Amino acid sequence: VQLQASGGGLVQAGGSLRLSCVASGGTISRYAMAWFRQAPGKEREFLASGAWNNGKTYYADAVKGRFTMSRDNARNSVYLQMNSLKPEDTAVYYCAADVGAGENATPRVSRFYDYWGQGTQVTVSS
C-alpha cells in the first residue's frame, strides 16, 4: 500500500487548508486511517483517526473543533480539513493506514499503523 499526501502549504494564522491522502495498492474501505504530524524537534503527534466500518472519527484535543477528517472510499482517499490554523500547527503532516484494525476501531498510537505517506509540510505564519 502506498499513501500519497498533498495539500500542504503556507497559510496565515486563522486560515484554512485541506490535506488529501490517496492510497494505491490497497483499498482503504477496510482500513482504519489516521493523520499525524511532526514538528521540528518534537515527537510525532496523533491528530485524528477514522474507523472503516461505522465511520466513527476520533480527534486529539489539540485539534478538536478545528480539524475534520473525512474519507471517500470511492476515491480511495482521506482528507483533513484544517480551519482556524495557528502557528503551533506548523509541522509535517502524515496520513497512515492500519490494515488490521477492527471494524470500528480508531487507533491513536503510531505503532499500530502499517503504512505511512511521505508527509506534506504545513506552515502557519503569525
Side-chain angles (χ1 to χ4, degrees):
V1 178
Q2 292 82 43
L3 302 176
Q4 179 73 38
S6 62
L10 174 64
V11 63
Q12 288 188 334
S16 298
L17 282 174
R18 185 180 188 237
L19 305 184
S20 299
C21 175
V22 181
S24 59
T27 175
I28 69 165
S29 62
R30 299 296 292 264
Y31 302 160
M33 300 295 294
W35 288 94
F36 291 78
R37 68 186 178 191
Q38 188 165 19
K42 295 188 176 182
E43 294 186 352
R44 190 165 293 187
E45 176 187 15
F46 166 81
L47 300 177
S49 59
W52 60 264
N53 183 51
N54 63 3
K56 180 180 178 181
T57 308
Y58 184 90
Y59 296 94
D61 288 344
V63 303
K64 194 177 298 182
R66 299 190 298 125
F67 292 9
T68 303
M69 179 178 179
S70 61
R71 70 164 69 200
D72 184 340
N73 288 338
R75 290 181 166 80
N76 222 25
S77 298
V78 294
Y79 307 95
L80 187 68
Q81 177 67 44
M82 305 187 295
N83 299 327
S84 303
L85 284 162
K86 307 174 182 179
E88 52 263 44
D89 292 319
T90 295
V92 178
Y93 283 66
Y94 299 90
C95 57
D98 178 352
V99 304
E103 59 184 8
N104 296 321
T106 53
R108 304 153 203 174
V109 179
S110 60
R111 68 175 183 270
F112 291 135
Y113 286 86
D114 307 287
Y115 299 99
W116 293 82
Q118 84 288 2
T120 184
Q121 176 71 46
V122 172
T123 302
V124 184
S125 62
S126 57

